[in-house]
């Protein structure tokens, strides 16, 4: 809650050989690690677009809205997967035009160095829960969908004709056998 307390936590973590995580535990989630492995192995080619959707059910929260309560997770994941300079950010608090449900919305479009485009959509007070990260690349698409309890990952790669084909489900360890197209 203060810089003094934050400093004390940093010292305690170092003394106990621990990693200090403050509100961004998603970076250590197996699905985010899977995405990082996919990117590191070049399995979807050059990353072109990143998309994050985090829509919560239930009542609208009064503590700063969805941008402050939900988006930090997705901004953190974006910066973790793509540590590039941010060139431009556009924010809006309106629901997408194709969404009819009510709720408290926040959306951002972020342009990163190297041409990567990212969109982040967060909302609270929705009728359905959605938690999905998608990375589209020049040779395929990787998806981590946390909307279901166990979470699910999907990998699609383009064949010789450019058609996206679903790869069998696999975790980060099994990905080591794949080769970039």
């Amino acid at each position: 809650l203060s810089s003094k307390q934050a400093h004390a936590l940093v010292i305690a973590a170092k003394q106990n050989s621990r990693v200090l995580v403050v509100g961004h535990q998603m970076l250590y989630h197996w699905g985010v690690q899977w995405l990082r492995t996919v990117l590191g192995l070049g399995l979807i080619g050059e990353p072109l677009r990143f998309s994050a959707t985090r829509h919560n059910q239930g009542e609208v929260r009064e503590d700063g809205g969805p941008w402050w309560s939900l988006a930090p997770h997705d901004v953190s994941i974006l910066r973790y997967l793509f540590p590039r300079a941010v060139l431009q950010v556009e924010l809006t608090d309106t629901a997408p035009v194709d969404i009819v449900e009510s709720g408290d919305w926040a959306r951002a479009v972020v342009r990163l160095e190297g041409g990567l485009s990212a969109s982040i959509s967060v909302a609270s007070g929705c009728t359905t829960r959605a938690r999905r990260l998608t990375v589209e690349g020049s040779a395929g698409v990787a998806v981590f969908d946390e909307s279901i309890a166990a979470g699910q990952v999907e990998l699609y790669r383009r064949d010789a004709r450019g058609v996206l084909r679903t790869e069998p489900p696999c975790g980060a360890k099994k990905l080591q056998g794949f080769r970039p197209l």
Side-chain angles (χ1 to χ4, degrees), residues 68-108:
W68 294 107
S69 62
L70 299 173
H73 299 289
D74 299 313
V75 171
S76 167
I77 292 168
L78 171 65
R79 303 292 294 140
Y80 177 68
L81 295 176
F82 305 102
R84 304 174 183 184
V86 174
L87 303 177
Q88 182 180 9
V89 178
E90 296 175 29
L91 298 169
T92 182
D93 63 355
T94 59
V97 293
D98 58 337
I99 301 290
V100 294
E101 63 181 298
S102 62
D104 191 7
W105 291 83
R107 295 183 298 133

Side-chain angles (χ1 to χ4, degrees), residues 102-148:
S102 62
D104 191 7
W105 291 83
R107 295 183 298 133
V109 175
V110 182
R111 276 191 39 247
L112 299 175
E113 189 175 61
L116 185 79
S117 173
S119 66
I120 298 172
S121 174
V122 292
S124 56
C126 295
T127 56
T128 57
R129 179 180 188 259
R131 300 210 175 176
R132 185 177 176 106
L133 301 171
T134 304
V135 182
E136 183 181 344
S138 57
V141 178
V143 179
F144 166 45
D145 190 340
E146 193 192 6
S147 299
I148 58 174

Side-chain angles (χ1 to χ4, degrees), residues 22-42:
V22 182
H24 297 288
Q25 67 274 16
M26 287 301 298
L27 300 185
Y28 300 95
H29 191 287
W30 68 268
V32 174
Q33 291 300 311
W34 179 87
L35 282 172
R36 189 168 177 160
T37 300
V38 166
L39 292 168
L41 292 172

